[in-house]
Amino acid sequence: MAVAPQQSFSSLFQGFNSLPNAQKLGMMVALAASIALLAGLWMWSQVPDYKVLFSNLSDRDGGTIVSSLQQMNVPYKVADGGAILVPSSQVYDTRLKLASQGLPRGGAIGFELMETQKLGTSQFLEQVNYQRALEGELARSIQSLSAVQGARVHLAIPRPSVFIREQQKPSASILINLYPGRVLDAGQVNGILHLVSSSVSELPVKNVTVVDQNGNLLSPVADSMALGGLDPTQLDYLHQVEQSYVKRIETILSTLIGSDNVRAQVAADLDFSQAEQTAETFKPNATPTDAAIRSQQSNESSGGAGQPASGVPGALSNQPPGAASAPLVAPSAAANQGSPIAASNANTHKESTINYEVDKTIRHVKQPVGSVKRLSVAVVVNFRKEVGKAGKVSFKPLSPQEIAQINNLVKEAMGFSQERGDTLNVVNASFSGGEKEEIPALPIWKDPANISLAKEVLKNVLIAVIAFYLVFGVLRPIFREMAKPKEVVHVKGPDGEELTEEEGVIYEKAKVQTGYDENLRAAKDLAKQEPGVVASVVKEWVEGA
């Protein structure tokens, strides 16, 4: 058994050597082409599937990322649109590695610009570089939002002045490029406004303007609606109040009939008018015994005994008295004589003032803003679901007692007030089936996963079919033909004796050469005997050429 492969190889080699040179060359070319085709198919099957790593990159970021990929020995491709492709198995790992290096930077230059400052830079250039770096950092922060694809920030920072009247506040303008189909709500816009305002010294929020890529103004215009008598915050508050009542009603009813069996709507009428009232009232005076004394003043004076002033006015009366002398009348007699005069001139004066407190009430009343003036509530309750013995589902309306119970619960939940004119309407009705629109499933041939799998399988099957055809349809028949043992042809010489193989080859060649000589001699004889026929044949050959 071990001799068979050697014999097969020997017969194959002999068969190849027995072929003419042209067939040998064709055989070698066919074999080389088959091997090259198989190698190409194998390499094609080993080519990884490339996916997008980053797209819409600036030239600066693209060059930096390509350099990093070359350092990390990661294969990559650059598409026509500027997208960078890497093998699908390395997409997420590469993104994480590049993110650790701060790539991509989004085309904005941040505070790394300050690291390249040169010696001798002027103060003006330093201020410009600082402003550029601040704008770049703000743009990077805004681009970190999920809905923002790109952002540009422009800051207008005035020069400081020592005069208060000439001081100006800085301002900022932001251009945002959003992803297709994405929008920013009011909360996100306010977040951007406060982010920029808090990052720049003395920048008020009202001086920040946000515009999207379509030119739509996203930042609110100050006092634009207030001048027209409208306030968007009031509408938001009204909506919150209505939703609060709806949630309270549905929550309390869902415990009885289920959350899917009740629907409620509330229309609230709120009073946003602002009113202030100041009143000053006085009560009637109380009786003196019950009144409170505020202040009291008493004054009493009395006149003593003695003669009134008398005498002749003049200089003598103003002079000091002279020397004392003995009286002509005794003191006792003089005293007895003057007492009636003193008694008749004695007097007493009393004066009393009492101030009582007066009742006074000062009231300052400020009416609350946003108070509820009226509520209108509508509630729809579904029929009760019942399952029969046979498993048949049926819906039956609620009883009047249950409707009354639901009505009372809703009134308590909404704070029903007849005085302010609240209305309530509870309806028991069967909900519609609410047939959901069935989204047809994607056909198998349109499913992206199946398409990817089919491509991979088709590629492998195509490689296998081509390899199978080359091996069993081309190479194997050739090798089999070459491996066949060569049939020995017995060549006989002119005398009838058998010749060897080499002698037979020589004899055949000589025979071919002899036949050629005989044919040439016959053509010459024909030309001599029939020159017209030969001339016509040659003429036809020349015309045909």
Side-chain angles (χ1 to χ4, degrees):
M1 298 298 294
V3 184
Q6 296 179 358
Q7 293 179 353
S8 177
F9 182 76
S10 177
S11 60
L12 182 63
F13 185 73
Q14 292 179 359
F16 180 78
N17 291 332
S18 63
L19 295 176
N21 294 331
Q23 293 184 2
K24 289 181 181 179
L25 182 61
M27 179 68 68
M28 289 187 292
V29 171
L31 181 61
S34 301
I35 295 175
L37 183 59
L38 290 176
L41 292 175
W42 181 81
M43 294 177 63
W44 179 54
S45 63
Q46 298 299 320
V47 173
D49 184 18
Y50 280 82
K51 289 187 177 181
V52 177
L53 178 66
F54 294 110
S55 60
N56 298 326
L57 295 174
S58 61
D59 296 339
R60 182 188 300 272
D61 285 344
T64 307
I65 290 175
V66 168
S67 300
S68 299
L69 293 178
Q70 292 175 353
Q71 295 176 1
M72 293 186 295
N73 295 326
V74 177
Y76 67 91
K77 292 181 180 180
V78 180
D80 296 337
I84 300 178
L85 309 178
V86 297
S88 57
S89 59
Q90 302 181 10
V91 171
Y92 299 104
D93 294 340
T94 307
R95 285 180 181 174
L96 293 176
K97 292 178 181 179
L98 293 176
S100 64
Q101 302 177 12
L103 296 175
R105 296 187 176 92
I109 302 176
F111 280 110
E112 63 270 10
L113 181 63
M114 307 300 294
E115 299 176 358
T116 59
Q117 294 289 335
K118 298 181 180 179
L119 185 63
T121 304
S122 63
Q123 184 179 2
F124 174 76
L125 186 57
E126 289 182 353
Q127 184 66 25
V128 171
N129 291 337
Y130 173 75
Q131 183 171 340
R132 289 180 57 195
L134 184 58
E135 291 175 351
E137 293 294 337
L138 290 175
R140 290 179 184 177
S141 301
I142 297 173
Q143 288 176 3
S144 62
L145 298 177
S146 59
V148 179
Q149 184 178 6
R152 295 193 65 184
V153 179
H154 304 280
L155 297 177
I157 303 177
R159 293 183 178 180
S161 175
V162 295
F163 300 101
I164 298 177
R165 294 182 179 180
E166 296 181 0
Q167 289 181 356
Q168 297 179 0
K169 298 294 183 180
S171 60
S173 301
I174 306 172
L175 177 62
I176 294 178
N177 186 14
L178 302 176
Y179 284 103
R182 304 295 295 274
V183 294
L184 294 177
D185 56 16
Q188 292 174 322
V189 174
N190 289 332
I192 295 175
L193 296 178
H194 286 81
L195 172 66
V196 177
S197 175
S198 302
S199 303
V200 181
S201 177
E202 298 183 358
L203 174 60
V205 178
K206 64 180 181 180
N207 288 2
V208 182
T209 304
V210 181
V211 181
D212 63 2
Q213 70 272 20
N214 298 323
N216 299 323
L217 182 63
L218 303 181
S219 56
V221 180
D223 297 335
S224 62
M225 300 184 67
L227 294 177
L230 298 176
D231 189 356
T233 59
Q234 296 179 359
L235 299 179
D236 295 338
Y237 177 72
L238 175 62
H239 181 70
Q240 293 176 4
V241 170
E242 292 177 348
Q243 292 301 318
S244 176
Y245 280 107
V246 170
K247 185 177 180 181
R248 291 164 61 181
I249 293 172
E250 292 183 350
T251 301
I252 194 171
L253 294 183
S254 61
T255 57
L256 297 178
I257 55 180
S259 59
D260 296 334
N261 295 324
V262 59
R263 297 291 183 271
Q265 289 295 329
V266 177
D269 184 8
L270 304 182
D271 185 10
F272 292 104
S273 60
Q274 299 181 1
E276 294 184 2
Q277 180 181 0
T278 303
E280 184 175 358
T281 58
F282 296 89
K283 294 182 179 180
N285 296 332
T287 58
T289 56
D290 298 333
I293 297 176
R294 182 178 184 181
S295 63
Q296 183 177 2
Q297 182 179 2
S298 299
N299 186 11
E300 182 177 356
S301 62
S302 59
Q307 296 180 354
S310 61
V312 179
L316 294 178
S317 61
N318 294 330
Q319 290 180 358
S325 60
L328 298 178
V329 182
S332 59
N336 294 332
Q337 292 177 359
S339 58
I341 299 174
S344 61
N345 292 332
N347 57 4
T348 301
H349 177 75
K350 292 182 179 181
E351 182 179 354
S352 177
T353 303
I354 300 176
N355 295 323
Y356 295 94
E357 289 288 352
V358 179
D359 291 340
K360 179 181 179 181
T361 302
I362 299 176
R363 180 178 299 175
H364 182 78
V365 180
K366 184 176 182 180
Q367 299 295 335
V369 180
S371 59
V372 179
K373 297 173 58 178
R374 185 173 178 270
L375 290 178
S376 299
V377 181
V379 181
V380 181
V381 181
N382 191 16
F383 283 174
R384 184 179 300 278
K385 180 180 179 181
E386 295 183 358
V387 181
K389 296 181 179 180
K392 185 178 181 180
V393 179
S394 60
F395 295 90
K396 294 183 179 180
L398 301 179
S399 62
Q401 293 78 8
E402 293 175 334
I403 295 297
Q405 184 181 8
I406 292 175
N407 198 344
N408 294 332
L409 288 176
V410 174
K411 285 185 176 181
E412 294 296 332
M414 63 177 286
F416 184 84
S417 176
Q418 187 68 32
E419 297 178 353
R420 65 185 182 189
D422 294 349
T423 59
L424 172 62
N425 188 7
V426 179
V427 177
N428 181 215
S430 177
F431 286 5
S432 61
E435 298 180 356
K436 298 181 180 179
E437 182 181 358
E438 296 182 359
I439 302 176
L442 289 175
I444 299 177
W445 57 88
K446 291 185 179 180
D447 191 357
N450 295 335
I451 292 175
S452 177
L453 179 61
K455 287 181 179 179
E456 190 68 22
V457 173
L458 182 61
K459 181 174 69 174
N460 296 331
V461 170
L462 181 61
I463 294 173
V465 169
I466 295 176
F468 183 83
Y469 175 75
L470 291 176
V471 173
F472 295 97
V474 178
L475 299 179
R476 184 179 180 183
I478 295 176
F479 292 151
R480 181 178 294 178
E481 186 67 24
M482 293 171 57
K484 287 182 179 180
K486 187 177 181 180
E487 296 181 359
V488 180
V489 180
H490 300 282
V491 181
K492 294 183 179 182
D495 298 335
E497 72 277 10
E498 294 183 359
L499 302 177
T500 61
E501 182 178 357
E502 295 179 356
E503 294 176 349
V505 171
I506 296 173
Y507 176 74
E508 290 293 335
K509 291 182 178 180
K511 186 177 179 180
V512 171
Q513 184 66 28
T514 304
Y516 173 77
D517 295 339
E518 292 179 354
N519 292 334
L520 182 60
R521 189 181 302 108
K524 290 180 179 180
D525 294 341
L526 181 61
K528 292 179 180 179
Q529 296 176 1
E530 301 290 341
V533 175
V534 175
S536 62
V537 172
V538 174
K539 183 179 180 181
E540 290 180 358
W541 288 353
V542 173
E543 291 177 355

